[in-house]
Amino acid sequence: MAAHLSDPQDVGIHARHVSTVSTIDSEMNDESGNPIWKNRVESWKDKKNNKKKKVAKNNKTEQAPAEIPHEQQMEDKQDALMQQPLSEIVPMSRNKLTPYRAVIIMRLVILGLFFHYRIMNPVDSAFGLWLTSVICEIWFAFSWVLDQFPKWSPINRVTYLDTLSARFERPGEPCELAPVDFFVSTVDPLKEPPLITANTVLSILALDYPVEKVSCYVSDDGAAMLSFESLAETSEFARKWVPFCKKYEIEPRAPEFYFSQKIDYLKDKVQPSFVKERRAMKRDYEEYKIRVNAMVARAQKTPEEGWTMQDGTPWPGNNTRDHPGMVQVFLGNTGARDMDGNELPRLIYVSREKRPGYQHHKKAGAENALVRVSAVLTNAPYILNLDCDHYVNNSKAVREAMCFLMDPQVGRDVCYVQFPQRFDGIDKSDRYANRNIVFFDVNMKGLDGIQGPVYVGTGCVFNRQALYGYGPPSMPTLTKSSSSSSCSWCGCCSCCCPSKKKAELDASELYKDAKREELNAAIFNLHEIDNYDEYERSMLMSQRSFEKTFGLSSVFIESTLMENGGVPESVNSSTLIKEAIHVISCSYEEKTEWGKEIGWIYGSVTEDILTGFKMHCRGWRSIYCMPPRPAFKGSAPINLSDRLHQVLRWALGSVEIFLSRHCPLWYGFGGGRLRWLQRLAYINTIVYPFTSLPLIAYCLIPAICLLTGKFIIPTLSNLASVLFLGLFMSIILTAVLELRWSGVSIEDLWRNEQFWVIGGVSAHLFAVFQGFLKMLAGIDTNFTVTTKAAEDAEFGELYMVKWTTVLIPPTTLLIVNIVGVVAGFSDALNKGYEAWGPLFGKVFFAFWVILHLYPFLKGLMGRQNRTPTIVVLWSVLLASVFSLVWVKINPFVNKVDSMEIAGTCISIDC
C-alpha cells in the first residue's frame, strides 16, 4: 500500500476550474417570432455574408491565400466553445404539456362529481359492498393525485461534451476534470457471480476519462477469498483489456457484453490490425473466464480448516461475522501500467471489519465505510456508486455527469446526478415490467422539473460534500445576530411595522432558523472555515463537536474540509493504510452522526430513498441525466418469484420509512427547503404499499357480486352514465397525453399497469404486514423461495417456478374471479334473458381483474408462448362440471317456504 501511494503528488488536490459562463440572451431563445429577435438574426446573417464576400474577393485578388496559423484557429474555436454552456434544459413543448395539464384538471373535476354521485346514491341491497367500494375508490383517487401532480412540469436536458473538454482539457495544460471515486458493492460471490462483478470493474477501469482521476473501490462485505482472488485476476486482465478498449473506442467496455453483441464488428473497423487484436483479446478473455470459473468451482465447498492464501497464511475472513478490516491496492497510478506502458486507474479492495455484537447496517454501512476509506486514500470530490451487476455501458457517462456538477452556475446546488436504470437479458414482452420504463422515463422526468429525481440506489454521481451533511453553498449562512439586525432595521421603520408584527416576524424567523439548523449535520460552514489559517483549522478539527459528527480520525476530518477534494499535503502517505483500516473498524461509527445525518442513512432496507430525501430536505437539488446511449446497464430478476421478492424488499423499505422519524408526512417542514410537489412525490414513495389493502378488496368485489347476484352500482341515470363515461375517457386521455410527451410505448404503460396490480395484491400486501410486525413487535419474517429447474435454454430463468408464500393472494384472486365469471354465466342461463343485462357490468369488472393478472397466470403455467394442453383440458372440464352443478343447485336462489310449496301442490291436485 505504501509503495503504491509513496508520492503524495499523485493524490494531491485537484482544484476545480471556476471560470464563469456567459448567459445567452433570452430573446435569442424565443421562438414566438419577436421582431427584435428577427432583426438581430437578419443583421447577423448580413454581416456574416458580407464578411464571406470580402474574404472571397481578397482570395481572388491575392495570389497566395491569407495565412492564418493553425494554432490561432484552434484557439478561436476553443474560445467559442468556452462561451457555451455545459448543459441546457429543454422544456416540453406547450402543444404537448398544455393539453396534458388541462386533462388532469378536468379529471379532478370529474372525480369530484363522481364521488358526489357515489356517496349520494348508496346501494341499500348491498350496502357493505357499496361502502367498501367507495372507500377503495377514494384511496385510489388520493394515490393518483400523489402520483400525477409531481409530473406537472417535466423537462429534458442536453449536455455538451465538446464544451466540457474545451474548458477543462486544454492542450498543453494539466487536465482540470474533477477526480471521481467509484464504489462497487458485493456480498456473496456465490449469489453474485465474480465474473459479473469483474465486468463491472473492467468497464470502470476502461472509462473514457483521465486515468489519474479514476479510483475504483470494490467493497466485499462477505469477506470472501473468492472475491479477493477474482479481483486479483481481473487486475491482471485489465492490463490487456484497457488499452484495447481505448485504442479502438469500443462500446460497451465490459468484455462479456461486448463479445456477446450480435453485430458485425467489421462494419466500422475494417483494418486488419483490429480484426487480429479482437480475436486475440477474445481468446484471452475466454482463458480469463476459465480461470475465474475454476475459482468459483473450488469455492463451492469450504475446507474444514478454512481458506488459505498463496503464502500459506489463513484467510482473515474465514469467519464472515468476525474478521478484521482488509484493504488491498491492486492497481494504482504509480507503477501499475498496462501492456502498452500507460498508467492504469486505481483498483482497491476493501472489506470492513465485522465483530459480534455490532450493528453493521448491510449495504448502507458498507457504502459509508467506502466513503471514509476513499476520503483517506484519494478523496475525490465526486462519488459514483454502482451495484456489482451494473456495468458502464457508455464510456463517456462520467463526462455527462460532469457537465452538470462542474458547471459553476448549475453544479453549486447539485447533490447528485441520477442516471436511469437500463437492463439486459429481459424478454421482448417484458412480462413483469422489469424495465420499469414508466418510472424512469415518466416519473423521473417530472421530478427533474421540481427539485430533482429520487436516488434509486445505483448509477448515481454524488457530490461528496452533500454526503457529509453540509447544506448547499447558495443557502444563506445563519448567524446569531440575524434576529438583532432585523430588529434594528424594523426600528427605523416603526411607523410602517408595528411592534406586534415585528415580534411575530422575529419568532417565525427564529423558528425557521432553528429548524434549518436541525437539518444541517455540519458543525461549521465550509465557506467560513476557508478563511482560517492552518493553526486555527487544526484547533477547530480537534474540537469534540467534529469528532462526535465524523468520528475519531483527524485525517478524515481534515479531508471533509477540502471542498475540492484531494489528500491533505500534511499527511504522511505511509500512515494512510493505518488510517484506512481505522476508519472501517466496526466501532468507528459509535456515538457519531454516521447513518443518522451523514453518509447513507440507516433505518430502512431502501436506504437510497432515505438518503436522497435527507439531501433534498437540506435544500440540495438533484439532476436527471438521460444520454442517448444508456450510461449503465444491469441484470434484473426476470422470473416471477424473484421479481416479486425484489418488489417486496422495496415496499418493505417504504413502510419502514413511513413508521420512522424521517416520514415525509412530517419531517423537515420547518426548514422550508423541500418543495411541496417534491414532498408529494416522497409521500407517494412511502404510502404506495398501503394501496394493496383497498386493491385486494376491490379485486374481490367483482367475484362476490357475481356469486351473490348483487352489485355495487345502482341503476344508472343519464347523468350517472355521462359521469362514468367521462371518468373512463379522462383516464384514457391522461394516459395517451402522458405517452405523447414522454415517448413511452403503450405496451410499456400496459405492462406497468398489470404489474401494479400483480405486485399490489402480493408483495405490497406482505410488505405492509411484515413492516408493522418488524417495527412494532420486533418480529422479522422471511418468505422462503423454493426453486424448480427450467427446461428452456433461452430465457430459462423466466420459466422457472419458485413456490413462495407471496404467490398465494394473486392465485386466490384469479381462481375466485374465474369461478365468479363461470357462476355468473351459469346463473344467467338458468334465469333467462332478463339476467343478461345486469351480468355484463359485473363480468366487465371481473375481466378487468383477470386481464391485469394475466401475466401472473402465464408465470404460473411456466411457458412463454403456449399454455400446456393438459392445463387447457382440465380447465374446460372443471368449468363444465362446475357450471352443471351450479345450474342444478343454484344456492343463491331465494328459498321458498315449505307451506307455500304444499299449498301449491294441493291446488294443482284439485
Side-chain angles (χ1 to χ4, degrees):
M1 180 71 181
H4 286 297
L5 297 174
S6 59
D7 188 2
Q9 296 298 326
D10 294 329
V11 286
I13 301 173
H14 302 281
R16 286 185 292 173
H17 191 69
V18 289
S19 59
T20 57
V21 181
S22 62
T23 57
I24 299 175
D25 193 346
S26 59
E27 293 179 352
M28 297 298 289
N29 292 326
D30 190 7
E31 298 178 1
S32 59
N34 194 320
I36 299 176
W37 181 85
K38 287 183 177 180
N39 293 336
R40 287 185 180 180
V41 173
E42 292 298 330
S43 61
W44 175 75
K45 287 182 177 178
D46 292 338
K47 290 178 181 179
K48 195 173 183 181
N49 291 332
N50 291 335
K51 285 183 179 180
K52 286 183 178 179
K53 290 177 181 178
K54 289 180 180 179
V55 171
K57 282 184 178 180
N58 292 334
N59 289 339
K60 288 181 180 179
T61 55
E62 295 177 5
Q63 294 182 354
E67 295 182 359
I68 301 176
H70 180 70
E71 296 177 357
Q72 184 178 347
Q73 292 180 2
M74 295 298 294
E75 288 178 2
D76 292 341
K77 289 181 179 180
Q78 287 181 357
D79 291 340
L81 286 173
M82 288 283 288
Q83 301 301 321
Q84 294 180 5
L86 297 178
S87 65
E88 279 185 348
I89 295 176
V90 183
M92 296 290 176
S93 171
R94 291 185 178 180
N95 296 331
K96 295 180 180 180
L97 211 54
T98 302
Y100 176 67
R101 292 173 175 174
V103 170
I104 291 176
I105 300 298
M106 181 184 71
R107 186 169 168 181
L108 275 177
V109 174
I110 294 174
L111 276 173
L113 298 174
F114 171 78
F115 284 123
H116 179 267
Y117 169 79
R118 291 284 282 139
I119 294 171
M120 299 305 295
N121 293 272
V123 181
D124 296 329
S125 60
F127 187 80
L129 291 175
W130 168 83
L131 182 61
T132 303
S133 66
V134 170
I135 294 173
C136 294
E137 289 161 2
I138 291 174
W139 179 264
F140 294 151
F142 170 69
S143 62
W144 173 79
V145 169
L146 290 180
D147 183 65
Q148 201 69 45
F149 273 90
K151 307 174 191 173
W152 189 258
S153 302
I155 61 171
N156 289 315
R157 295 181 186 270
V158 292
T159 56
Y160 303 109
L161 300 183
D162 293 338
T163 307
L164 181 77
S165 297
R167 189 174 298 179
F168 298 107
E169 291 182 294
R170 286 173 294 212
E173 297 182 14
C175 176
E176 294 179 337
L177 288 174
V180 182
D181 288 338
F182 288 79
F183 293 173
V184 179
S185 55
T186 182
V187 180
D188 187 352
L190 298 180
K191 293 181 180 179
E192 301 165 339
L195 200 60
I196 299 299
T197 305
N199 272 270
T200 301
V201 171
L202 289 169
S203 67
I204 293 172
L205 298 178
L207 274 173
D208 182 9
Y209 206 72
V211 293
E212 69 276 7
K213 309 286 185 178
V214 176
S215 301
C216 180
Y217 292 83
V218 179
S219 170
D220 177 20
D221 219 31
M225 197 172 79
L226 174 58
S227 299
F228 182 85
E229 289 185 336
S230 65
L231 206 60
E233 284 288 343
T234 302
S235 65
E236 290 300 318
F237 179 71
R239 300 174 190 271
K240 302 176 183 178
W241 176 251
V242 172
F244 172 74
C245 293
K246 294 187 175 182
K247 182 177 181 180
Y248 296 106
E249 298 181 353
I250 66 168
E251 296 283 1
R253 300 190 177 181
E256 182 69 24
F257 302 96
Y258 170 69
F259 290 122
S260 63
Q261 291 181 118
K262 297 179 180 179
I263 58 174
D264 183 9
Y265 63 88
L266 298 175
K267 184 177 181 181
D268 298 321
K269 301 180 177 68
V270 294
Q271 59 268 38
S273 60
F274 169 73
V275 178
K276 183 179 179 181
E277 287 192 41
R278 186 187 185 276
R279 289 173 180 170
M281 184 55 61
K282 188 174 183 180
R283 185 170 57 253
D284 290 340
Y285 178 64
E286 293 297 330
E287 294 174 356
Y288 161 75
K289 283 175 63 176
I290 291 172
R291 293 193 297 271
V292 173
N293 290 332
M295 294 178 188
V296 175
R298 288 196 303 269
Q300 297 297 321
K301 187 177 180 181
T302 305
E304 294 182 1
E305 65 278 5
W307 297 106
T308 305
M309 293 188 290
Q310 292 182 358
D311 59 357
T313 57
W315 171 247
N318 278 324
N319 187 346
T320 57
R321 298 184 179 181
D322 188 2
H323 65 84
M326 295 178 278
V327 175
Q328 173 67 41
V329 177
F330 286 109
L331 297 175
N333 68 333
T334 54
R337 299 186 179 274
D338 58 27
M339 302 297 291
D340 295 340
N342 300 316
E343 292 182 354
L344 287 170
R346 298 178 185 87
L347 176 59
I348 303 169
Y349 170 89
V350 178
S351 181
R352 58 181 174 143
E353 183 186 17
K354 294 282 187 71
R355 299 298 180 194
Y358 288 93
Q359 179 61 262
H360 299 106
H361 303 289
K362 299 181 180 179
K363 181 182 176 181
E367 295 287 346
N368 284 338
L370 287 181
V371 171
R372 297 191 294 272
V373 168
S374 62
V376 171
L377 298 182
T378 51
N379 196 32
Y382 301 110
I383 294 171
L384 195 158
N385 82 298
L386 290 172
D387 289 342
C388 63
D389 60 345
H390 275 70
Y391 66 91
V392 182
N393 183 64
N394 183 350
S395 62
K396 298 183 183 296
V398 180
R399 294 177 180 269
E400 296 276 354
M402 290 302 139
C403 286
F404 303 106
L405 293 169
M406 296 189 68
D407 192 320
Q409 293 182 350
V410 178
R412 285 172 55 82
D413 295 339
V414 176
C415 55
Y416 60 82
V417 175
Q418 178 66 62
F419 290 89
Q421 291 185 21
R422 302 294 188 228
F423 300 98
D424 288 319
I426 298 176
D427 61 308
K428 292 182 180 179
S429 61
D430 193 14
R431 185 187 297 176
Y432 308 123
N434 282 284
R435 293 189 177 93
N436 217 351
I437 294 293
V438 173
F439 174 75
F440 286 113
D441 288 26
V442 180
N443 297 40
M444 298 287 266
K445 280 185 181 179
L447 291 177
D448 199 15
I450 310 171
Q451 200 172 342
V454 298
Y455 169 43
V456 295
T458 184
C460 186
V461 186
F462 282 97
N463 183 338
R464 188 183 283 268
Q465 295 299 319
L467 283 172
Y468 290 156
Y470 294 112
S474 64
M475 283 292 167
T477 56
L478 303 174
T479 59
K480 293 181 180 179
S481 60
S482 58
S483 58
S484 61
S485 62
S486 61
C487 293
S488 62
W489 180 82
C490 291
C492 300
C493 310
S494 56
C495 59
C496 303
C497 303
S499 59
K500 185 177 180 181
K501 289 185 177 180
K502 269 199 311 179
E504 292 177 356
L505 181 64
D506 292 343
S508 63
E509 287 298 323
L510 287 173
Y511 174 75
K512 285 186 176 181
D513 287 355
K515 284 293 183 181
R516 287 171 182 161
E517 285 293 335
E518 289 178 8
L519 295 175
N520 282 331
I523 307 302
F524 300 102
N525 191 301
L526 281 179
H527 299 285
E528 296 174 359
I529 293 177
D530 287 341
N531 298 324
Y532 292 107
D533 58 22
E534 289 295 330
Y535 176 73
E536 291 173 330
R537 287 175 64 182
S538 63
M539 291 295 292
L540 286 174
M541 287 186 292
S542 65
Q543 293 186 13
R544 294 183 61 190
S545 55
F546 252 106
E547 294 176 352
K548 285 182 178 180
T549 303
F550 296 113
L552 299 173
S553 172
S554 59
V555 177
F556 175 75
I557 291 174
E558 187 173 356
S559 71
T560 64
L561 304 177
M562 306 178 70
E563 189 176 3
N564 295 323
V567 177
E569 296 180 359
S570 59
V571 177
N572 186 0
S573 59
S574 62
T575 63
L576 289 179
I577 183 64
K578 295 179 181 179
E579 203 65 33
I581 295 294
H582 170 57
V583 297
I584 60 173
S585 61
C586 54
S587 61
Y588 184 83
E589 294 184 357
E590 285 189 335
K591 299 179 181 180
T592 66
E593 295 297 325
W594 284 101
K596 301 172 186 175
E597 297 294 336
I598 62 176
W600 270 257
I601 307 301
Y602 304 149
S604 171
V605 295
T606 53
E607 70 287 331
D608 46 5
I609 293 177
L610 199 52
T611 303
F613 174 63
K614 293 276 284 188
M615 292 181 182
H616 284 136
C617 285
R618 294 190 183 105
W620 293 94
R621 68 156 293 120
S622 54
I623 282 179
Y624 197 50
C625 182
M626 296 181 65
R629 180 181 178 86
F632 310 100
K633 279 191 176 182
S635 56
I638 63 173
N639 71 70
L640 177 61
S641 302
D642 286 349
R643 174 72 166 132
L644 289 178
H645 276 268
Q646 182 189 55
V647 174
L648 170 63
R649 183 171 57 84
W650 294 342
L652 176 61
S654 296
V655 175
E656 289 173 343
I657 297 174
F658 177 80
L659 298 173
S660 71
R661 73 182 184 92
H662 292 118
C663 179
L665 286 169
W666 52 73
Y667 181 80
F669 263 102
R673 297 177 180 179
L674 190 68
R675 299 184 185 178
W676 278 101
L677 288 180
Q678 192 80 9
R679 186 176 294 277
L680 280 182
Y682 274 110
I683 291 173
N684 187 38
T685 62
I686 64 160
V687 302
Y688 77 89
F690 297 97
T691 306
S692 59
L693 300 175
L695 189 59
I696 284 275
Y698 211 71
C699 289
L700 281 172
I701 287 175
I704 296 173
C705 290
L706 286 166
L707 292 172
T708 59
K710 299 176 181 180
F711 201 36
I712 58 174
I713 299 175
T715 304
L716 295 179
S717 61
N718 291 334
L719 177 61
S721 301
V722 171
L723 278 177
F724 274 88
L725 183 62
L727 181 61
F728 281 111
M729 290 300 296
S730 65
I731 293 173
I732 294 171
L733 275 175
T734 306
V736 169
L737 293 173
E738 200 168 89
L739 295 178
R740 189 180 172 211
W741 65 255
S742 65
V744 175
S745 67
I746 191 169
E747 182 183 6
D748 290 322
L749 182 68
W750 173 238
R751 289 299 186 201
N752 183 77
E753 287 294 318
Q754 285 181 313
F755 199 78
W756 173 73
V757 175
I758 295 171
V761 300
S762 57
H764 297 172
L765 180 68
F766 278 80
V768 171
F769 286 106
Q770 187 178 356
F772 275 98
L773 286 174
K774 183 177 179 181
M775 301 300 292
L776 301 179
I779 302 174
D780 194 2
T781 56
N782 292 316
F783 304 104
T784 57
V785 178
T786 304
T787 306
K788 304 296 181 184
E791 298 176 359
D792 300 59
E794 188 178 6
F795 299 114
E797 192 181 350
L798 181 69
Y799 314 126
M800 278 196 271
V801 180
K802 296 185 178 182
W803 297 108
T804 171
T805 320
V806 181
L807 301 179
I808 294 176
T811 306
T812 305
L813 285 175
L814 265 173
I815 294 173
V816 168
N817 276 278
I818 292 173
V819 168
V821 170
V822 175
F825 277 103
S826 303
D827 192 44
L829 287 170
N830 190 34
K831 289 183 177 179
Y833 70 93
E834 295 179 354
W836 286 96
L839 175 66
F840 283 116
K842 304 171 187 177
V843 170
F844 172 79
F845 289 109
F847 271 114
W848 179 90
V849 176
I850 294 170
L851 281 175
H852 279 78
L853 293 176
Y854 176 67
F856 178 82
L857 180 62
K858 289 189 71 175
L860 290 181
M861 292 179 179
R863 306 285 290 186
Q864 183 183 19
N865 297 320
R866 64 182 182 89
T867 304
T869 307
I870 190 67
V871 174
V872 177
L873 293 176
W874 272 104
S875 300
V876 173
L877 179 62
L878 290 175
S880 303
V881 171
F882 184 83
S883 300
L884 293 173
V885 172
W886 188 271
V887 171
K888 184 67 177 176
I889 299 175
N890 206 359
F892 292 104
V893 174
N894 292 329
K895 304 298 181 183
V896 184
D897 189 26
S898 60
M899 294 298 293
E900 293 182 8
I901 296 175
T904 305
C905 294
I906 293 170
S907 62
I908 292 174
D909 288 340
C910 293

